[in-house]
């Protein structure tokens, strides 16, 4: 009895990509984000072990910080589009207002020259006739060119914001709520490097890197506690939370100076503090980022938060530029128009500071210009 012959093999299917199982772009970006965040955590764990950190660390809680919320593609696109639109509008409005200011100055100067020439050439006893600088068609062309220019700036700024968002996602660094945890984790490998760096340029570079990483962590902690870690409608004791952030910042600053005295011991202490801050921020314990025994008795000098002041003064500047442009286009004198716009700027800044509770911050920001040398105490955020 002969064995049955095997059937002929089927022809190999054509090399057609499996479209149904190909991950979408959004999934690929989220995957890169998760991978980068995981790599950051693993590097931090290895650095903590190298620095001899034996206290238990809730690594799973820290990992949960980087878990992206489940959103539909449409919700993700809306969030990204909203952020990019706000950024692009701010840039386009700023450049547009500056352009209007310059255009108003030029046209005001041209109108003044035309009026002077008309007075010189007009016969005695007659009213001088001032010629129009631009015809209505020329004004329409100028407006169209300016509009197209601003549209291009808007598109370019929005595209740049989206590109930056993609880059941060690929690096596992995106949301404001992750900033404190991310800066704390990034500081650990730098601390391990400075602890074991050999004498010479490598050690000096490691010290520079550590100071940059810890400074970034200090800034992130201050910003987080000043905004209640992004909690919308926070009704707790905001000044107390803000004071805690200032104490944490000062504790790091006081310990940071020890790197040039007892490098290895200070690096281990800073690593323990960074791990504690990362863990408690991940657990939403924003008011106890460090234990009371590790904090100084006084928070130190309050820093001028120039970011909030910048928004406030920017709004006042927009109002002043609008008033200046209207005054110049209406034929008002240049000196009077500038004086009026400066008055509007001061009044708008004062009223905005009063209603937003930033009057003391505006005063501190202006006081920076009156200090002789050395800059503000503790720096400016």
């Amino acid at each position: 009895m002969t064995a049955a012959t095997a059937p002929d093999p089927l022809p190999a299917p054509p090399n057609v990509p499996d479209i149904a199982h190909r991950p979408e772009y959004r999934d690929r970006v989220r995957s890169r984000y998760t991978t980068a965040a995981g790599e950051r955590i693993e590097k931090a764990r290895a650095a903590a072990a190298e620095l001899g950190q034996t206290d238990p660390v809730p690594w799973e809680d820290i990992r949960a910080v980087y878990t992206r919320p489940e959103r539909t593609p449409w919700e993700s696109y809306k969030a990204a589009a909203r952020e990019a639109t706000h950024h692009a509008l701010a840039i386009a409005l700023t450049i547009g207002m500056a352009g209007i200011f310059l255009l108003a100055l030029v046209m005001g100067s041209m109108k003044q020259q035309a009026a002077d020439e008309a007075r010189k050439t007009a016969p005695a006893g007659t009213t001088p006739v001032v010629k129009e600088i631009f015809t209505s068609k020329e004004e329409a062309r100028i407006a169209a060119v300016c509009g197209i220019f601003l549209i291009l700036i808007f598109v370019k700024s929005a595209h740049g914001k989206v590109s930056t968002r993609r880059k941060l996602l690929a690096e596992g660094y995106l949301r404001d709520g992750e900033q404190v945890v991310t800066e704390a984790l990034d500081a650990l490998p730098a601390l391990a490097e400075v602890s074991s760096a050999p004498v010479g340029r490598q050690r000096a570079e490691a010290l520079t890197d550590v100071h940059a990483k810890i400074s970034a962590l200090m800034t992130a902690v201050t910003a987080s506690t000043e905004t209640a870690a992004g909690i919308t409608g926070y009704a707790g004791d905001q000044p107390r939370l803000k004071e805690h952030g200032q104490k944490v910042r000062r504790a790091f600053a006081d310990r940071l100076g020890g790197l040039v005295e007892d490098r290895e011991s200070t690096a281990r202490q800073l690593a323990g503090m960074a791990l504690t801050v990362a863990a408690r921020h991940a657990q939403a314990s924003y008011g106890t980022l460090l234990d009371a025994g590790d904090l100084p008795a006084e928070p130190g000098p309050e820093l001028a938060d120039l970011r909030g002041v910048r928004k406030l003064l920017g709004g006042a500047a927009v109002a002043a530029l609008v008033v200046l442009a209207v005054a110049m286009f209406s034929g008002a004198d240049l000196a009077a128009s500038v004086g009026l716009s400066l008055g509007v700027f001061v009044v708008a800044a004062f009223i905005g500071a009063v209603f937003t509770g930033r009057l003391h911050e505006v005063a501190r920001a202006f006081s920076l210009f009156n200090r002789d040398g050395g800059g503000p105490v503790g720096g400016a955020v």
Side-chain angles (χ1 to χ4, degrees):
M1 182 175 180
T2 60
T5 59
D8 296 334
L10 296 174
N15 188 16
V16 178
D18 189 359
I19 303 296
H21 294 86
R22 177 184 294 178
E24 297 180 357
Y25 170 78
R26 177 170 170 267
D27 296 330
R28 295 198 304 271
V29 171
R30 291 170 70 97
S31 176
R32 287 198 296 268
Y33 170 83
T34 302
T35 301
E39 291 175 353
R40 174 181 291 111
I41 293 174
E42 294 307 317
K43 289 180 181 178
R45 294 185 71 166
E50 183 178 345
L51 288 165
Q53 298 296 320
T54 57
D55 294 337
V57 179
W59 291 108
E60 291 306 315
D61 294 344
I62 294 176
R63 192 181 302 275
V65 172
Y66 296 96
T67 302
R68 302 295 300 163
E70 290 297 331
R71 292 177 177 171
T72 63
W74 174 243
E75 291 174 339
S76 298
Y77 297 150
K78 283 197 303 182
R82 188 184 307 113
E83 182 180 356
T85 301
H86 290 169
H87 174 77
L89 273 177
I91 294 178
L93 284 176
T94 302
I95 295 177
M97 291 298 104
I100 292 175
F101 173 74
L102 295 176
L103 184 61
L105 288 179
V106 172
M107 292 189 67
S109 177
M110 294 173 66
K111 286 181 179 181
Q112 190 67 36
Q113 291 178 1
D116 293 340
E117 292 178 0
R119 282 193 296 268
K120 292 178 181 178
T121 58
T126 61
T127 303
V129 178
V130 182
K131 296 181 180 180
E132 292 291 337
I133 301 175
F134 298 111
T135 64
S136 58
K137 290 185 178 180
E138 289 174 337
E139 291 178 351
R141 289 173 185 171
I142 293 175
V145 171
C146 293
I148 293 173
F149 179 67
L150 289 179
I151 290 174
L152 292 176
I153 291 177
F154 177 85
V155 173
K156 176 65 177 176
S157 302
H159 179 266
K161 186 65 175 179
V162 172
S163 299
T164 302
R165 184 183 178 88
R166 287 202 302 261
K167 180 181 177 182
L168 292 176
L169 268 171
E171 295 174 355
Y173 187 103
L174 180 61
R175 295 178 298 165
D176 291 340
E178 300 167 3
Q179 188 173 2
V180 172
V181 177
T182 298
E183 300 294 0
L185 295 181
D186 285 347
L188 291 171
L191 289 167
E193 176 66 22
V194 78
S195 178
S196 59
V199 177
R201 183 168 183 174
Q202 186 174 350
R203 180 175 294 180
E205 291 176 350
L207 283 169
T208 301
D209 187 38
V210 164
H211 276 77
K213 298 291 187 184
I214 297 298
S215 295
L217 173 58
M218 291 158 58
T219 301
V221 167
T222 304
S224 175
T225 53
E226 286 182 347
T227 59
I231 300 175
T232 304
Y234 179 71
D237 191 348
Q238 180 73 28
R240 181 178 178 181
L241 187 60
K242 185 176 179 180
E243 180 181 330
H244 176 71
Q246 293 170 353
K247 287 184 177 181
V248 172
R249 181 188 180 100
R250 186 177 177 184
F252 274 103
D254 292 344
R255 194 80 72 226
L256 195 60
L259 285 174
V260 295
E261 299 170 359
D262 188 353
R263 180 174 43 83
E264 295 183 7
S265 175
T266 303
R268 288 192 294 270
Q269 293 174 8
L270 286 170
M273 293 168 62
L275 280 172
T276 301
V277 168
R280 295 186 180 177
H281 198 279
Q283 295 168 343
S285 300
Y286 307 124
T288 55
L289 296 178
L290 288 177
D291 294 332
D294 297 329
L295 296 175
E298 298 295 332
E302 188 174 358
L303 304 177
D305 185 5
L306 300 184
R307 291 167 302 180
V309 174
R310 183 176 63 235
K311 294 180 180 179
L312 182 64
L313 297 183
V318 170
L321 289 176
V322 170
V323 170
L324 178 63
V326 172
M328 294 298 296
F329 278 118
S330 63
D333 182 67
L334 177 60
S337 301
V338 172
L340 178 62
S341 63
L342 288 177
V344 170
F345 174 80
V346 173
V347 172
F350 176 76
I351 293 176
V354 170
F355 278 96
T356 58
R358 293 186 176 274
L359 188 59
H360 62 293
E361 294 179 3
V362 173
R364 288 202 310 273
F366 279 111
S367 69
L368 298 180
F369 298 99
N370 299 325
R371 296 185 179 181
D372 296 327
V377 178
V381 180

